């Protein structure tokens, strides 16, 4: 496929990422406006690069005509939460929406990957309007705490460098860091109700 | 109504303005990405201020419980075109969308207001997702050329200063300016096909 | 020069464009905050593309080692004013600044180009901080009214298509449009003081 | 002081925050553009709210005429790093700049506050250009790792709720979390050179 064709294929995914970022960021604002604690702390998004799509197709043996169906994370949204408990709340908020339909869920928090990776993943259907009418596409939504995100960012860099072969001594350090993160998230959870109260009252002040 | 209540009422209108700006701006990108001339030059948006809403309610005798139905321009989107001919194209693009339903249209271009005001207005229904589920609201979409927009900006400032009573000598100057703008838009239209060609080829270059 | 080298050369120009946009846009806010009419209506900026730089070097016989000195518009800032009278005020504001040094000025408003082009141009020196210390670079600042900008945008597209050879019948239409723009700017100037008053009082309201 | 006066006082601080964010964010881009690891991960900024300024003046007995000198954090910039080691590098980069002059430094990383707070603070002088000429103001720059920032955000909310009197059982949890963060930052530091390599090679790829 040449560059102009790729451009055309990825266009609706770019639009979906932009729209969903606006929508989820507004949810934060809506909670604060009502003087409520927001389970969403921040939102980011990206469209997968052409080289990453090609690499995934090759690795998983995906033929071009099945690309849009099989590569489920061409469009990606990442939602960061303050507390582990917020993750489920966000998943619930998404499930209730009329503009998003959930295709599948993977809970890597209850079922941590061997590497130490923890996150909640949703694959969803979302419809964007193109010049040629509506188009229904897939979007991957990752939900995680700030601490989980920190770990994942680091691990992603190392994966990129070493491919599948991260040396053992580094893998051990990553694993130790993953444990520190679980401790950290647990300590935070134990004061969650206090902090939610605290943030509500500060929000109420700001609204007045 | 107190300030927190207003805040809650206007929240979905703010979201609609943000979403529609993202969508219309992406349409520009989509045209350019396909090497096509875009009938949309730029997009802006705003939510009406509480004081302007109150002033309109008083002037038109609108009761609070009918505010959201009767004040049709709480959310406003403005689309600027290079040429008069583009305006109709944009109206067509909007009509075809599955996420927008047209309630009414007013063509102040064929039927210029006495003041000299020219623009194409659509009142549309658009649905946003709130914390409490979907909400269908009204949005006013104004479509005009850069020259029409320039005139309208100036007239709006004067209206604001003089209320209904703009002095005659100023009204005459505004009227003369409105005529200069019609001449300008006509001259531009006479070279429109040349310019569209020119902008397409420059866009194609940039895509390569 | 290869792509990474170009990247490095253009980096400080990108920074200058970003900084100057922030600074000039803040000037608008500063005027409004004091309840004053702002002579600046809007600000945009761009770094010249590598292909446009190369084309200019070839056309003017500029050797690579003199590129940064001879191509004066690698960084470009455009300031749009509501009225012709504002242009001089903006030029004065720039002259007084301690962070910008003026190298040269060209007044294409009093001395319109044959094509009909009208604008006020400044070439200035501006210092940005890089990883390797401060670097003093040149920036071109164009100041024009909305109407002049409209005309210039259109003419630029046609220039691009026809190179030096815009056909006579189009050149005549452009010339007629340039005249309509002078009429328009004059009509506007004749009500300028009224409009400035009007915009001041609306701004004061908003600040309260 | 009334609202319009506050507005005028804070204006230059807002500009400083905007300019410094542009400058520090560009530093990230400059590192990546050269295929280098960036010691800065992200940058944010804020101007202190009027109520927080008043509260601080009262708490510290600061008289109005000494406000701008004594309240050193009216303008605040926060720089987030991936690793503890990066913090010193960022402080060095700031020290070398010709547009920033350092007034004082506080190292709460080597000398952790009793509460568990860790960060590197700089108070600097920075000059902005106003309508009335240049103005030299103070800015507080906080430099910390993502993990330190996470902890500080949480503690700030609790401080806000309980004023000086955070209950002991919460203070203990915060302290435990602070320890988990030190472990986490240490684990990360132990693989820092590997990760820097990894991120450099991924950056180089992206530049090609």
């Amino acid at each position: 496929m040449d560059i102009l064709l790729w451009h055309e294929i990825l266009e609706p995914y770019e639009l979906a990422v932009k729209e969903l970022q606006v929508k989820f960021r507004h949810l934060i604002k809506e909670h604060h406006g009502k003087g409520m604690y927001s389970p969403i702390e921040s939102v980011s998004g990206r469209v997968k690069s052409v080289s990453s799509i090609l690499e995934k197709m090759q690795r998983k043996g995906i033929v071009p005509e099945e690309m849009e169906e099989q590569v489920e994370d061409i469009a990606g949204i990442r939602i960061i939460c303050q507390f582990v408990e917020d993750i489920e709340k966000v998943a619930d908020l998404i499930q209730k929406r009329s503009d998003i339909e959930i295709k599948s869920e993977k809970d890597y928090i209850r079922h941590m990957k061997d590497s130490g990776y923890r996150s909640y993943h949703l694959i969803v259907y979302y419809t964007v309007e193109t010049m040629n009418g509506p188009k229904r596409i897939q979007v991957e939504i990752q939900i995680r705490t700030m601490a989980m995100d920190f770990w994942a960012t680091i691990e992603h860099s190392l994966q990129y460098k070493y491919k599948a072969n991260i040396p053992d001594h580094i893998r051990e350090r990553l694993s130790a860091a993953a444990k520190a993160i679980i401790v950290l998230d647990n300590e935070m959870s134990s004061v969650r109700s206090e902090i939610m109260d605290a943030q509500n009252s500060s929000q109420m002040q700001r609204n007045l």
Side-chain angles (χ1 to χ4, degrees), chain A residues 20-21 24-25 28 40-45 77-80:
Chain A
L20 288 170
Q21 285 187 91
F24 286 123
R25 281 180 191 143
I28 302 176
I40 299 178
E41 169 73 17
S42 67
V43 181
S44 60
I77 293 288
R78 184 169 299 156
I79 295 177
I80 305 296

Side-chain angles (χ1 to χ4, degrees), chain A residues 1 55 72 81 90 110-111 113 138 142 158 167 194:
Chain A
M1 283 185 279
E55 186 273 324
E72 293 174 316
C81 305
V90 174
R110 285 181 203 197
H111 310 285
K113 283 195 186 182
Q138 299 185 82
Q142 300 179 341
L158 291 169
E194 306 284 341

Side-chain angles (χ1 to χ4, degrees), chain A residues 39-54:
Chain A
I40 299 178
E41 169 73 17
S42 67
V43 181
S44 60
R46 65 99 188 92
V47 172
K48 211 177 179 70
S49 69
V50 172
S51 63
S52 297
I53 295 175
L54 288 174

Side-chain angles (χ1 to χ4, degrees), chain A residues 20 24 40 42-46 48 56 72-81 87 90-91 94 104-106 108-109 113 117-124 139-145 148-149 152-153 156:
Chain A
L20 288 170
F24 286 123
I40 299 178
S42 67
V43 181
S44 60
R46 65 99 188 92
K48 211 177 179 70
K56 190 168 201 168
E72 293 174 316
D73 64 345
I74 298 177
I77 293 288
R78 184 169 299 156
I79 295 177
I80 305 296
C81 305
I87 293 174
V90 174
I94 293 172
S104 65
E105 304 184 52
K106 274 185 199 151
Y108 295 122
I109 294 169
K113 283 195 186 182
Y117 181 80
R118 291 158 71 232
S119 264
Y120 197 92
H121 287 201
L122 295 169
I123 306 296
V124 306
V139 179
E140 184 186 76
I141 302 176
Q142 300 179 341
I143 318 173
R144 34 170 99 153
T145 63
M148 293 174 192
D149 185 51
T153 306
H156 182 82

Side-chain angles (χ1 to χ4, degrees), chain A residues 25-166:
Chain A
R25 281 180 191 143
H26 191 84
L27 259 181
I28 302 176
K29 209 169 161 273
E30 204 182 339
H31 278 86
H32 291 175
K34 290 192 173 26
M36 290 167 70
Y37 169 81
S38 168
I40 299 178
E41 169 73 17
S42 67
V43 181
S44 60
R46 65 99 188 92
V47 172
K48 211 177 179 70
S49 69
V50 172
S51 63
S52 297
I53 295 175
L54 288 174
E55 186 273 324
K56 190 168 201 168
M57 287 170 71
Q58 193 170 19
R59 184 161 40 85
K60 302 208 162 184
I62 297 169
V63 291
E65 45 276 21
E66 294 197 339
M67 191 262 280
E68 290 194 73
E69 183 56 32
Q70 300 288 322
V71 184
E72 293 174 316
D73 64 345
I74 298 177
I77 293 288
R78 184 169 299 156
I79 295 177
I80 305 296
C81 305
Q82 283 196 76
F83 301 103
V84 181
E85 290 80 358
D86 298 331
I87 293 174
E88 206 173 332
K89 296 220 167 171
V90 174
D92 282 352
L93 277 175
I94 293 172
Q95 216 139 14
K96 275 194 240 144
R97 294 180 72 96
S98 67
D99 57 347
I100 288 177
E101 186 194 334
I102 293 178
K103 178 188 177 187
S104 65
E105 304 184 52
K106 274 185 199 151
D107 184 346
Y108 295 122
I109 294 169
R110 285 181 203 197
H111 310 285
M112 185 171 74
K113 283 195 186 182
D114 290 345
S115 62
Y117 181 80
R118 291 158 71 232
S119 264
Y120 197 92
H121 287 201
L122 295 169
I123 306 296
V124 306
Y125 292 112
Y126 182 74
T127 300
V128 291
E129 198 75 19
T130 74
M131 279 171 60
N132 309 313
K135 181 173 166 76
R136 189 173 177 250
I137 61 177
Q138 299 185 82
V139 179
E140 184 186 76
I141 302 176
Q142 300 179 341
I143 318 173
R144 34 170 99 153
T145 63
M146 285 165 71
M148 293 174 192
D149 185 51
F150 178 50
W151 187 92
T153 306
I154 300 293
E155 202 240 1
H156 182 82
S157 303
L158 291 169
Q159 285 266 3
Y160 191 95
K161 182 180 179 193
Y162 294 107
K163 314 289 161 189
N165 315 304
I166 300 183

